[in-house]
Amino acid sequence: MRIGAVEAGGTKFVCGIGNEHGEIEKRISIPTGEPEETLAQVIAFFKEEDVEAIGIGTFGPINIDKQSEHYGYVTTTPKPGWSNYHFLGKMKQSFSIPFGWDTDVNAAALGEATWGAAKGLDSCVYYTIGTGVGVGIYAEGHLVHGLVHPEGGHVLTRRHPEDSFEGACPYHGDCLEGMAAGPALEKRWKVKGSELAADHPAWAIEAFYIGQAVASSILLLSPKKVILGGGVMHQKQLLPLIHAEVQKNLNGYVSAEAVLSKIDQYIVTPGLGDNAGLCGAVALGLRAMQA
Ligand code: ADP
Ligand code: ZN
């Protein structure tokens, strides 16, 4: 089985071909430009391939309400040309096959639930902590869409007592993304996150914010696995700090072994590594075929 996959990001589009085992056979990367020129390259790639379905996991916000006349659109974004653009419609004009369509983080959550760290589980929460913060939610075997789609990157946070950074979110200032995404790290410390030493005080503050959001999602959704991906999570010292923050915040209240004594197996980095998004798009394509 050959399934097309698109991981559509703000800086690059990764297109690939995968199968029902989540194995990626081939991939290309296209810099994100204006929609027509970007999608012309995406379409040209798949025209050379024999695929049975295509799954798209994309940056947003997007419309994922199948009842809406704007289903398949990118809705509001500062990216030139993409606001109110019919992304899925453009793809469908070129291929008469089933299409899966969801947010990049929902795709990653589904990929992890199908082949990765949450394999065999019927729920997980997937965070990406990168240029922005995004949250994908898989609950009782379904991706959560709701009113628009979850926007867990913008939850409000309680401020760290030693942190006077005003926050970098244009909408909320000091929301989670405003305090903890890669650009926030860079703005607060005046160097790129990747250049901060492993023992820099930045990481305790970073874990403080992520730990709050993760504790809230555990209280709200009771996921069977929490997966933390994105460029910032390449900092290996961060994960144990987040474990400690989550336990501190929950303070024994959620009396599950996963939280109390096995948190290192409960809050983890992606089992699929940097392939979570692309594999997730394959999983979306597979689901579209079964629909
Ligand atoms: P995107 O979110 O654009 O899809 P990434 O998940 O790679 O891409 O996130 C990019 C962000 O992560 C940038 O802000 C970058 O500075 C930050 N970042 C990337 N690698 C590291 C690292 N090793 N340590 C800290 N921050 C990093
Ligand atoms: Zn925000």
Side-chain angles (χ1 to χ4, degrees), residues 151 153-156 168-179:
E151 284 284 8
H154 294 267
V155 296
L156 299 183
C169 176
Y171 289 89
H172 318 110
D174 58 2
C175 68
L176 176 65
E177 176 173 302
M179 296 311 255

PDB file of all heavy atoms in Angstrom, residues 151 153-156 168-179, ligand 2:
ATOM      1  N   GLU A 151      -6.410  24.483  20.702  1.00  0.00           N
ATOM      2  CA  GLU A 151      -5.318  25.459  20.570  1.00  0.00           C
ATOM      3  C   GLU A 151      -4.550  25.518  21.894  1.00  0.00           C
ATOM      4  O   GLU A 151      -4.342  26.577  22.478  1.00  0.00           O
ATOM      5  CB  GLU A 151      -5.883  26.850  20.225  1.00  0.00           C
ATOM      6  CG  GLU A 151      -6.326  27.013  18.783  1.00  0.00           C
ATOM      7  CD  GLU A 151      -5.180  27.189  17.792  1.00  0.00           C
ATOM      8  OE1 GLU A 151      -4.000  27.033  18.181  1.00  0.00           O
ATOM      9  OE2 GLU A 151      -5.472  27.477  16.613  1.00  0.00           O
ATOM     10  N   GLY A 153      -1.626  25.401  22.723  1.00  0.00           N
ATOM     11  CA  GLY A 153      -0.375  26.138  22.837  1.00  0.00           C
ATOM     12  C   GLY A 153      -0.570  27.505  23.480  1.00  0.00           C
ATOM     13  O   GLY A 153       0.384  28.127  23.928  1.00  0.00           O
ATOM     14  N   HIS A 154      -1.829  27.960  23.507  1.00  0.00           N
ATOM     15  CA  HIS A 154      -2.087  29.328  23.983  1.00  0.00           C
ATOM     16  C   HIS A 154      -2.773  29.361  25.342  1.00  0.00           C
ATOM     17  O   HIS A 154      -3.352  30.384  25.720  1.00  0.00           O
ATOM     18  CB  HIS A 154      -2.887  30.097  22.932  1.00  0.00           C
ATOM     19  CG  HIS A 154      -2.093  30.305  21.678  1.00  0.00           C
ATOM     20  ND1 HIS A 154      -1.342  31.437  21.441  1.00  0.00           N
ATOM     21  CD2 HIS A 154      -1.875  29.475  20.630  1.00  0.00           C
ATOM     22  CE1 HIS A 154      -0.723  31.307  20.274  1.00  0.00           C
ATOM     23  NE2 HIS A 154      -1.030  30.119  19.772  1.00  0.00           N
ATOM     24  N   VAL A 155      -2.700  28.264  26.085  1.00  0.00           N
ATOM     25  CA  VAL A 155      -3.273  28.300  27.441  1.00  0.00           C
ATOM     26  C   VAL A 155      -2.469  29.293  28.286  1.00  0.00           C
ATOM     27  O   VAL A 155      -1.292  29.556  28.034  1.00  0.00           O
ATOM     28  CB  VAL A 155      -3.270  26.902  28.107  1.00  0.00           C
ATOM     29  CG1 VAL A 155      -4.177  25.938  27.350  1.00  0.00           C
ATOM     30  CG2 VAL A 155      -1.861  26.339  28.228  1.00  0.00           C
ATOM     31  N   LEU A 156      -3.150  29.844  29.265  1.00  0.00           N
ATOM     32  CA  LEU A 156      -2.468  30.814  30.127  1.00  0.00           C
ATOM     33  C   LEU A 156      -1.617  30.082  31.160  1.00  0.00           C
ATOM     34  O   LEU A 156      -1.906  28.954  31.534  1.00  0.00           O
ATOM     35  CB  LEU A 156      -3.499  31.721  30.802  1.00  0.00           C
ATOM     36  CG  LEU A 156      -4.345  32.525  29.800  1.00  0.00           C
ATOM     37  CD1 LEU A 156      -5.299  33.460  30.538  1.00  0.00           C
ATOM     38  CD2 LEU A 156      -3.466  33.325  28.844  1.00  0.00           C
ATOM     39  N   ALA A 168       6.024  36.562  24.278  1.00  0.00           N
ATOM     40  CA  ALA A 168       6.204  36.849  22.855  1.00  0.00           C
ATOM     41  C   ALA A 168       4.982  36.530  21.999  1.00  0.00           C
ATOM     42  O   ALA A 168       5.035  36.637  20.780  1.00  0.00           O
ATOM     43  CB  ALA A 168       7.409  36.060  22.330  1.00  0.00           C
ATOM     44  N   CYS A 169       3.852  36.165  22.612  1.00  0.00           N
ATOM     45  CA  CYS A 169       2.672  35.872  21.781  1.00  0.00           C
ATOM     46  C   CYS A 169       1.988  37.178  21.382  1.00  0.00           C
ATOM     47  O   CYS A 169       1.657  37.986  22.245  1.00  0.00           O
ATOM     48  CB  CYS A 169       1.683  34.970  22.519  1.00  0.00           C
ATOM     49  SG  CYS A 169       0.170  34.708  21.559  1.00  0.00           S
ATOM     50  N   PRO A 170       1.766  37.394  20.072  1.00  0.00           N
ATOM     51  CA  PRO A 170       1.121  38.638  19.651  1.00  0.00           C
ATOM     52  C   PRO A 170      -0.324  38.768  20.144  1.00  0.00           C
ATOM     53  O   PRO A 170      -0.849  39.873  20.222  1.00  0.00           O
ATOM     54  CB  PRO A 170       1.165  38.575  18.120  1.00  0.00           C
ATOM     55  CG  PRO A 170       1.487  37.165  17.772  1.00  0.00           C
ATOM     56  CD  PRO A 170       2.165  36.536  18.951  1.00  0.00           C
ATOM     57  N   TYR A 171      -0.952  37.661  20.486  1.00  0.00           N
ATOM     58  CA  TYR A 171      -2.335  37.706  20.968  1.00  0.00           C
ATOM     59  C   TYR A 171      -2.426  37.823  22.490  1.00  0.00           C
ATOM     60  O   TYR A 171      -3.278  38.523  23.021  1.00  0.00           O
ATOM     61  CB  TYR A 171      -3.104  36.442  20.547  1.00  0.00           C
ATOM     62  CG  TYR A 171      -3.404  36.401  19.073  1.00  0.00           C
ATOM     63  CD1 TYR A 171      -2.493  35.828  18.182  1.00  0.00           C
ATOM     64  CD2 TYR A 171      -4.585  36.935  18.568  1.00  0.00           C
ATOM     65  CE1 TYR A 171      -2.763  35.800  16.822  1.00  0.00           C
ATOM     66  CE2 TYR A 171      -4.858  36.903  17.210  1.00  0.00           C
ATOM     67  CZ  TYR A 171      -3.950  36.340  16.341  1.00  0.00           C
ATOM     68  OH  TYR A 171      -4.211  36.307  15.007  1.00  0.00           O
ATOM     69  N   HIS A 172      -1.580  37.053  23.198  1.00  0.00           N
ATOM     70  CA  HIS A 172      -1.758  36.921  24.652  1.00  0.00           C
ATOM     71  C   HIS A 172      -0.534  37.306  25.462  1.00  0.00           C
ATOM     72  O   HIS A 172      -0.578  37.236  26.683  1.00  0.00           O
ATOM     73  CB  HIS A 172      -2.120  35.464  25.017  1.00  0.00           C
ATOM     74  CG  HIS A 172      -3.094  34.842  24.080  1.00  0.00           C
ATOM     75  ND1 HIS A 172      -2.757  33.835  23.191  1.00  0.00           N
ATOM     76  CD2 HIS A 172      -4.400  35.118  23.864  1.00  0.00           C
ATOM     77  CE1 HIS A 172      -3.811  33.511  22.477  1.00  0.00           C
ATOM     78  NE2 HIS A 172      -4.819  34.271  22.846  1.00  0.00           N
ATOM     79  N   GLY A 173       0.533  37.675  24.836  1.00  0.00           N
ATOM     80  CA  GLY A 173       1.749  37.980  25.599  1.00  0.00           C
ATOM     81  C   GLY A 173       2.288  36.728  26.263  1.00  0.00           C
ATOM     82  O   GLY A 173       2.947  35.896  25.623  1.00  0.00           O
ATOM     83  N   ASP A 174       1.929  36.541  27.538  1.00  0.00           N
ATOM     84  CA  ASP A 174       2.589  35.479  28.312  1.00  0.00           C
ATOM     85  C   ASP A 174       1.795  34.177  28.409  1.00  0.00           C
ATOM     86  O   ASP A 174       1.764  33.536  29.450  1.00  0.00           O
ATOM     87  CB  ASP A 174       2.977  35.993  29.695  1.00  0.00           C
ATOM     88  CG  ASP A 174       1.792  36.515  30.502  1.00  0.00           C
ATOM     89  OD1 ASP A 174       0.639  36.450  29.997  1.00  0.00           O
ATOM     90  OD2 ASP A 174       2.024  36.982  31.625  1.00  0.00           O
ATOM     91  N   CYS A 175       1.169  33.752  27.305  1.00  0.00           N
ATOM     92  CA  CYS A 175       0.585  32.404  27.270  1.00  0.00           C
ATOM     93  C   CYS A 175       1.733  31.389  27.150  1.00  0.00           C
ATOM     94  O   CYS A 175       2.905  31.769  27.072  1.00  0.00           O
ATOM     95  CB  CYS A 175      -0.381  32.272  26.093  1.00  0.00           C
ATOM     96  SG  CYS A 175       0.455  32.333  24.498  1.00  0.00           S
ATOM     97  N   LEU A 176       1.383  30.109  27.109  1.00  0.00           N
ATOM     98  CA  LEU A 176       2.424  29.070  27.023  1.00  0.00           C
ATOM     99  C   LEU A 176       3.363  29.301  25.844  1.00  0.00           C
ATOM    100  O   LEU A 176       4.588  29.314  25.998  1.00  0.00           O
ATOM    101  CB  LEU A 176       1.760  27.689  26.919  1.00  0.00           C
ATOM    102  CG  LEU A 176       2.723  26.506  26.719  1.00  0.00           C
ATOM    103  CD1 LEU A 176       3.625  26.328  27.932  1.00  0.00           C
ATOM    104  CD2 LEU A 176       1.945  25.225  26.425  1.00  0.00           C
ATOM    105  N   GLU A 177       2.806  29.501  24.654  1.00  0.00           N
ATOM    106  CA  GLU A 177       3.651  29.741  23.478  1.00  0.00           C
ATOM    107  C   GLU A 177       4.493  31.001  23.659  1.00  0.00           C
ATOM    108  O   GLU A 177       5.673  31.034  23.316  1.00  0.00           O
ATOM    109  CB  GLU A 177       2.774  29.864  22.216  1.00  0.00           C
ATOM    110  CG  GLU A 177       3.575  30.201  20.978  1.00  0.00           C
ATOM    111  CD  GLU A 177       2.738  30.148  19.693  1.00  0.00           C
ATOM    112  OE1 GLU A 177       2.157  29.086  19.389  1.00  0.00           O
ATOM    113  OE2 GLU A 177       2.666  31.171  18.995  1.00  0.00           O
ATOM    114  N   GLY A 178       3.879  32.025  24.212  1.00  0.00           N
ATOM    115  CA  GLY A 178       4.574  33.297  24.419  1.00  0.00           C
ATOM    116  C   GLY A 178       5.736  33.181  25.396  1.00  0.00           C
ATOM    117  O   GLY A 178       6.687  33.963  25.340  1.00  0.00           O
ATOM    118  N   MET A 179       5.674  32.206  26.299  1.00  0.00           N
ATOM    119  CA  MET A 179       6.727  32.031  27.301  1.00  0.00           C
ATOM    120  C   MET A 179       7.709  30.917  26.975  1.00  0.00           C
ATOM    121  O   MET A 179       8.843  30.935  27.458  1.00  0.00           O
ATOM    122  CB  MET A 179       6.100  31.723  28.676  1.00  0.00           C
ATOM    123  CG  MET A 179       5.256  32.846  29.227  1.00  0.00           C
ATOM    124  SD  MET A 179       6.091  34.443  29.169  1.00  0.00           S
ATOM    125  CE  MET A 179       6.517  34.670  30.893  1.00  0.00           C
TER     126      MET A 179
HETATM  127 ZN    ZN B   2      -0.900  32.990  22.779  1.00  0.00          ZN
END
